[in-house]
Amino acid sequence: MIYGRHLTFWVATFLVLVALLWLLHDILLPFVAGIALAYVLAPLADRVERLGINRTVAALLVVSVWVVALIALMLLLVPLLLQQGSALISNIPGYF
């Protein structure tokens, strides 16, 4: 008897959670990305903190380096991708 009530509770909880995720999936991506980024960058902040730097300054330093690296990567890749994309579009008739 108790087992059935527990099972019913957990199935209902699971269904409500799935319904909420389905309804809110459009706005959850930035939060999930932020959590994943924090999970990946936390060990780097720990290492910088061990060097004697304040945790807040260490986190700002790690995130700043990450943003600068991402911007540099985009500045390097976007022109290359545009060049390759235009070459692909101009060569499509030759492929047929």
Side-chain angles (χ1 to χ4, degrees):
M1 183 72 161
I2 297 289
Y3 179 72
R5 294 178 89 188
H6 287 291
L7 183 64
T8 304
F9 171 76
W10 285 112
V11 168
T13 303
F14 177 73
L15 291 176
V16 168
L17 181 66
V18 167
L20 281 173
L21 286 175
W22 181 72
L23 288 172
L24 300 173
H25 74 276
D26 291 332
I27 61 170
L28 288 179
L29 181 61
F31 296 106
V32 172
I35 290 169
L37 189 61
Y39 181 76
V40 169
L41 295 180
L44 292 174
D46 289 337
R47 286 186 183 180
V48 174
E49 187 180 15
R50 270 189 247 134
L51 295 173
I53 298 176
N54 186 8
R55 178 70 178 188
T56 304
V57 176
L60 285 172
L61 182 66
V62 168
V63 171
S64 298
V65 168
W66 176 261
V67 168
V68 168
L70 189 62
I71 290 172
L73 185 66
M74 290 190 63
L75 287 175
L76 291 173
L77 287 181
V78 167
L80 179 65
L81 290 174
L82 289 175
Q83 179 188 11
Q84 293 291 320
S86 65
L88 175 68
I89 290 172
S90 66
N91 289 333
I92 283 179
Y95 295 147
F96 290 113

